[in-house]
Amino acid sequence: MISEQIAALHSQLPAGVTLVAVSKYHPVAALLQAYEAGQRVFGESHVQELVAKQALMPADVQWHFIGHLQTNKVKYIAPFVSLIHAVDSLRLLREIDKQAGRCGRRIDCLLELHLAQEETKYGFTPDELTALLDSDEWATLPHVRIRGLMTMATYTDDTEQIRREFRTAHDLYQHARDHVAAASHWDMLSMGMSHDYPVAIEEGATLVRIGTSIFGQRQY
Ligand SMILES: *Cc1c(COP(=O)(O)O)cnc(C)c1O
C-alpha cells in the first residue's frame, strides 16, 4: 500500500532528511495516494511526464526534476520546478539561469557528481567539480542557486563499495561548503534510492530519492 509505505518512511527517516517520492512511470492516481498520505515532494525524470502530472496534481506539490535534463527542455519546467537535482554542465546551468530569469524566478539546483563505476552515468568527476566551483562563473548567475550535490552509487550488492562512494560524496560536499558558503546556500546532499538509502543516510544524505519502495515496480 502506497499510503502505508509513505507513513513508514516518514516515521523512519531522521529529522533533516527529506523524502523525494520518485513517481516516474506511475499514474497520477498513485501520486494522489501518496499526496493524501501527506507526501508533498515528488521527483520525476522526464520533462513531458512531469509537465503533464504537474497540471493534474494539487498546487502545493513541490516538483523535483531528478533525471538528465536536456538544455532545450529547461523552458518547460522553469515556471514551476522547485529543485533540479542533476545539473551536469555549466551550459545547462546557464540555460536554467536564463529560463528562470524569464519567469522571474530563482531556481535551486544541485550539481551531479559522477562516482559510480558505470560509463553511462552523467555528472562531474571530483576534479571537474572542483574546477567548476573554482571558476566562479556559477556564482554570478543571478537566477540559479546551487544548494549542494547529487550522486548515484554504483548499482551493486557490495554495501561497502556503496558506502565508500557515498562517503566520498559527503567529503566533497563538506569541502565545497567552505568554498561556496560566502556566495550561496549549500545545504543539500541528494543520495540514496530504494536499495541503498539507509547507507546514504548513515553517510550524511539530506534528500533521499525513493521510488520502487513506495510505488512498486514501474509500469513501462
Ligand atoms: C528512478 C530514480 C530513483 C528511484 O529509484 P528506485 O530504485 O525506484 O527507488 C532515484 N534517483 C534517480 C536519479 C532515478 O532516476
Side-chain angles (χ1 to χ4, degrees):
M1 282 304 294
I2 291 170
S3 56
E4 283 153 18
Q5 295 304 327
I6 292 287
L9 283 164
H10 282 175
S11 67
Q12 197 185 102
L13 296 182
V17 177
T18 299
L19 173 62
V20 181
V22 176
S23 48
K24 63 187 183 201
Y25 300 117
H26 291 284
V28 168
L31 279 71
L32 280 171
Q33 284 182 46
Y35 181 89
E36 277 153 24
Q39 183 63 27
R40 291 294 178 270
V41 182
F42 290 83
E44 290 280 340
S45 55
H46 299 279
V47 167
Q48 249 185 321
E49 187 179 350
L50 170 55
V51 169
K53 286 174 172 172
Q54 190 262 343
L56 297 171
M57 288 289 289
D60 65 340
V61 167
Q62 294 165 44
W63 295 101
H64 288 195
F65 193 82
I66 64 168
H68 174 65
L69 181 56
Q70 287 172 269
T71 311
N72 62 351
K73 295 193 174 163
V74 174
K75 58 179 176 284
Y76 301 113
I77 63 171
F80 65 87
V81 71
S82 75
L83 180 67
I84 297 176
H85 284 236
V87 175
D88 57 4
S89 70
L90 188 54
R91 186 168 155 260
L92 176 59
L93 195 65
R94 287 187 196 119
E95 178 65 13
I96 297 169
D97 180 65
K98 178 173 140 195
Q99 297 299 336
R102 285 191 177 161
C103 304
R105 301 188 68 211
R106 187 169 198 188
I107 296 179
D108 286 341
C109 296
L110 306 179
L111 300 174
E112 181 174 6
L113 184 62
H114 176 111
L115 294 175
Q117 292 172 350
E118 282 144 35
E119 284 303 317
T120 55
K121 291 196 175 154
Y122 296 99
F124 298 100
T125 64
D127 286 346
E128 289 166 348
L129 180 77
T130 307
L132 176 78
L133 292 174
D134 281 342
S135 83
D136 282 349
E137 179 183 336
W138 60 272
T140 67
L141 301 173
H143 301 288
V144 290
R145 187 162 61 179
I146 299 182
R147 301 285 299 263
L149 302 178
M150 176 272 203
T151 201
M152 275 186 275
T154 302
Y155 192 80
T156 171
D157 290 334
D158 182 350
T159 307
E160 286 317 304
Q161 182 179 347
I162 292 170
R163 187 179 298 284
R164 278 196 301 277
E165 292 176 2
F166 285 154
R167 193 164 289 176
T168 300
H170 187 258
D171 286 347
L172 285 161
Y173 170 72
Q174 294 282 26
H175 279 114
R177 168 179 279 157
D178 304 333
H179 197 103
V180 172
S184 181
H185 293 73
W186 189 265
D187 56 2
M188 294 182 178
L189 180 57
S190 168
M191 58 186 194
M193 307 167 41
S194 291
H195 68 284
D196 58 14
Y197 76 86
V199 181
I201 290 169
E202 284 167 13
E203 298 304 328
T206 72
L207 295 141
V208 289
R209 309 177 309 267
I210 301 181
T212 309
S213 294
I214 297 170
F215 296 107
Q217 293 298 322
R218 287 181 271 278
Q219 328 278 308
Y220 289 91

